[in-house]
Amino acid sequence: MADRPANDAPYRMVRDVEFGEDVVVQSFVNLYGCLVGAGTRIGPFVEIQRDVVVGRRCKIQSHAFICSGVVLGDGVFVGHGVVFVNDKTPRATADGVRLAGEDDWALLPVVVEDGASIGSGAIVLGGVRVGRGALVGAGAVVAADVPPGAVVAGVPARVRPTARAVGAEAGAETR
């Protein structure tokens, strides 16, 4: 693993990150306590929090927010402004007075399997699995698991029965 990205973009905060070879990270990015696989590209204004795993050859577009507990497989596309959520009951205070802390909520992991694509502006809620080669439409709110190869869209996201993700069977090529 490399100890820094392959490029020298300015204005980025990179702390305690493991990088695979040939990772490119643009400016105005916050990365901390995560693992980024080889050949991945991370656009500007992205935040990737601790305990996130980003697979190989992923493409993460600008303004994406990837919170703790997210695992992205190989060859995953994350569109502009995608937000991952890891808590279904967020609160500022635990008892109405005391500021909530680490022990006051339960992390709900998110898994995005190899070759899946998340369209711009989508929101992926905690506890969800997006299947291999699936396609999440722009602006969708994903509140339930997405089957492998499925295309989902809408609020909440629903499977579109006649659609199939392009290259869903080609997911093996991302390895």
Side-chain angles (χ1 to χ4, degrees), residues 14-164:
V14 175
R15 211 177 279 145
D16 191 29
V17 177
E18 289 186 47
F19 292 102
E21 294 299 317
D22 194 34
V23 171
V24 173
V25 177
Q26 298 302 321
S27 299
F28 307 107
V29 170
N30 292 328
L31 306 175
Y32 46 95
C34 57
L35 186 146
V36 180
T40 290
R41 302 296 185 254
I42 300 172
F45 303 102
V46 168
E47 179 160 340
I48 302 176
Q49 294 184 328
R50 72 179 182 273
D51 301 323
V52 169
V53 176
V54 177
R56 296 171 297 173
R57 294 176 307 285
C58 292
K59 189 170 186 182
I60 301 170
Q61 299 291 80
S62 70
H63 299 88
F65 175 73
I66 306 175
C67 58
S68 296
V70 173
V71 175
L72 303 178
D74 293 340
V76 168
F77 176 85
V78 176
H80 299 280
V82 169
V83 174
F84 289 88
V85 179
N86 61 7
D87 182 6
K88 287 192 179 174
T89 56
R91 298 282 184 259
T93 61
D95 53 13
V97 177
R98 179 180 54 86
L99 193 61
E102 291 290 320
D103 295 332
D104 296 314
W105 68 285
L107 183 137
L108 298 173
V110 174
V111 175
V112 181
E113 295 179 354
D114 293 355
S117 293
I118 313 293
S120 294
I123 299 171
V124 182
L125 299 181
V128 167
R129 176 177 291 269
V130 177
R132 180 185 187 95
L135 175 63
V136 173
V141 176
V142 181
D145 290 351
V146 176
V151 175
V152 299
V155 179
R158 291 188 181 6
V159 173
R160 301 305 182 204
T162 59
R164 182 151 181 83

